[in-house]
Amino acid sequence: MERKVVVIGSLNYDVCLKQDHIPEEGETCFADQVEYCSGGKGANQAVQAAKLGVNTYMVGCVGSDSQGGFLKENIEQYGVRTDFLKIVEGSSGMSVAQSLYDGGVRGSVVKGANDQVSKEDVDALKGFLKPGDLAVFQLEIPIPVVEYGISFCKEQGCYVILNGAPAAPLAEEALRQVDLFIVNEVEAGFYCGSEILTEKAAEEEIRKMAADLDNVCIYTLGKAGAVVCEGEKCEFVPPKKVRAVESTGAGDSFIGGLCYGIVHDMNIFEAARFATCCSARTVCKTGGQPAMPALEEVLELYQETVV
Ligand SMILES: Nc1ncnc2c1ncn2[C@@H]1O[C@H](COP(=O)(O)OP(=O)(O)O)[C@@H](O)[C@H]1O
Ligand SMILES: [Mg+2]
């Protein structure tokens, strides 16, 4: 039977304002533009996997507000199954970002419904999760639910991926239980306790972490690529040279791509090369979920990598 991907995480309604300056205390300024997007790390990763044709389920909560309906329909349009998505009383997860023309961004996030994801929502997966299925977590839902979910999914025989983003303290036991731990360079700095400024530092730290946690670790390094470490074996996966326009969702696209690779029995280094091609496509378009590529677009780039 086809292995499925079950993402247990966040959905956010993102409001993005474009303006020329950040208002001072007491000032209200005009923004030039507003965009409404479906986001949240969980939803983004699920959408990328689904766009690649992987059988993908989103487990989480949206609010009873109109944004909740928008979020649910939006991911369904991309092919994500919502059988385990709950609608709860109150507001949906939401973010408001003020972005400036020079690239600066300020924002606030309302946890909303994401904060209501519970251990019962994880328990509801009993009998549905099969050995070999992928369970994917990030840290935008309550941490105790993530910790519980990791050990629950391991008991069901799943391959568990943890994206430690946004960086937050987590029980060591949970980190050890996951099969794959993935973070970007900023988050990696948080988990290993020292800033990662060079590729060499990334490799040194990731070797230590992979040995210590005894699992596969991946650090993504933005436009510098990624390092992947499995046991003694560490590999640098170079980025694809593309004309990047916006990096929103790069890491989420990478994780959706990894899911595709793992479901299709690629080894982790091969899966990371495939994931790199997904991200490369994503950074060439604006927006998160709409920018994420379908399988054909990724294969074009990936085939160049292989030959
Ligand atoms: N400007 C870019 N050009 C090509 N690939 C990129 C670029 N920025 C990011 N990527 C790819 O996306 C992956 C994830 O990006 P990164 O910024 O590390 O994640 P996050 O979005 O979590 O911060 C990188 O490992 C790289 O392969
Ligand atoms: Mg980044």
Side-chain angles (χ1 to χ4, degrees):
M1 206 166 52
E2 194 195 82
R3 296 165 78 181
K4 56 187 180 288
V5 169
V6 179
V7 178
I8 301 156
S10 58
L11 302 96
N12 274 340
Y13 185 83
D14 296 333
V15 181
C16 309
L17 303 175
K18 198 91 187 179
Q19 56 201 59
D20 60 17
H21 76 280
I22 298 293
E24 305 286 325
E25 161 68 35
E27 179 195 2
T28 299
C29 69
F30 282 111
D32 300 324
Q33 214 180 303
V34 59
E35 268 181 45
Y36 307 102
C37 311
S38 159
K41 292 180 195 294
N44 287 349
Q45 293 170 17
V47 164
Q48 177 62 90
K51 278 189 162 186
L52 297 169
V54 177
N55 185 19
T56 307
Y57 288 78
M58 181 76 214
V59 180
C61 295
V62 294
S64 52
D65 49 6
S66 61
Q67 286 79 4
F70 169 86
L71 291 172
K72 179 167 182 285
E73 279 165 30
N74 186 79
I75 63 169
E76 284 170 349
Q77 266 172 22
Y78 288 120
V80 177
R81 301 283 307 260
T82 55
D83 312 48
F84 294 93
L85 186 72
K86 257 187 10 195
I87 300 176
V88 296
E89 203 53 46
S91 87
S92 293
M94 189 174 292
S95 83
V96 181
Q98 298 175 304
S99 64
L100 306 182
Y101 293 97
D102 66 7
V105 185
R106 304 233 176 152
S108 305
V109 177
V110 182
K111 290 182 183 170
N114 293 316
D115 214 26
Q116 293 194 50
V117 180
S118 65
K119 293 180 184 174
E120 288 69 40
D121 297 325
V122 173
D123 289 334
L125 299 170
K126 191 154 185 119
F128 173 71
L129 290 174
K130 301 283 183 246
D133 285 347
L134 270 60
V136 186
F137 296 89
Q138 317 75 26
L139 303 179
E140 290 182 331
I141 59 171
I143 303 285
V145 177
V146 173
E147 292 168 342
Y148 177 80
I150 288 169
S151 95
F152 179 91
C153 294
K154 281 308 292 177
E155 275 165 30
Q156 313 303 306
C158 296
Y159 183 93
V160 177
I161 298 178
L162 173 64
N163 172 214
L170 204 73
E172 178 101 12
E173 171 65 11
L175 290 174
R176 284 183 198 288
Q177 275 183 320
V178 304
D179 295 280
L180 193 165
F181 180 66
I182 175 167
V183 285
N184 72 13
E185 76 278 25
V186 180
E187 294 140 8
F190 172 88
Y191 288 101
C192 62
S194 65
E195 236 181 319
I196 309 272
L197 295 174
T198 61
E199 273 164 42
K200 194 162 169 292
E203 194 182 323
E204 276 170 21
E205 291 299 339
I206 199 173
R207 274 186 190 280
K208 274 194 250 164
M209 184 178 277
D212 187 33
L213 298 178
D214 192 24
N215 57 24
V216 177
C217 290
I218 300 182
Y219 291 174
T220 62
L221 311 169
K223 62 179 187 307
V227 256
V228 181
C229 207
E230 182 180 43
E232 298 280 286
K233 197 172 167 215
C234 264
E235 249 182 58
F236 170 68
V237 180
K240 283 279 169 183
K241 287 202 174 61
V242 290
R243 233 180 264 272
V245 295
E246 197 201 75
S247 68
T248 311
D252 295 333
S253 177
F254 192 98
I255 291 167
L258 275 182
C259 290
Y260 175 92
I262 295 167
V263 163
H264 290 86
D265 295 322
M266 291 181 187
N267 69 48
I268 198 64
F269 302 99
E270 214 182 311
R273 282 188 280 277
F274 181 87
T276 295
C277 297
C278 296
S279 299
R281 287 289 193 209
T282 298
V283 299
C284 289
K285 293 186 187 164
T286 55
Q289 296 173 11
M292 291 174 180
L295 184 59
E296 305 75 60
E297 300 168 80
V298 182
L299 288 178
E300 271 172 40
L301 271 186
Y302 180 61
Q303 271 141 16
E304 291 169 20
T305 317
V306 178
V307 289

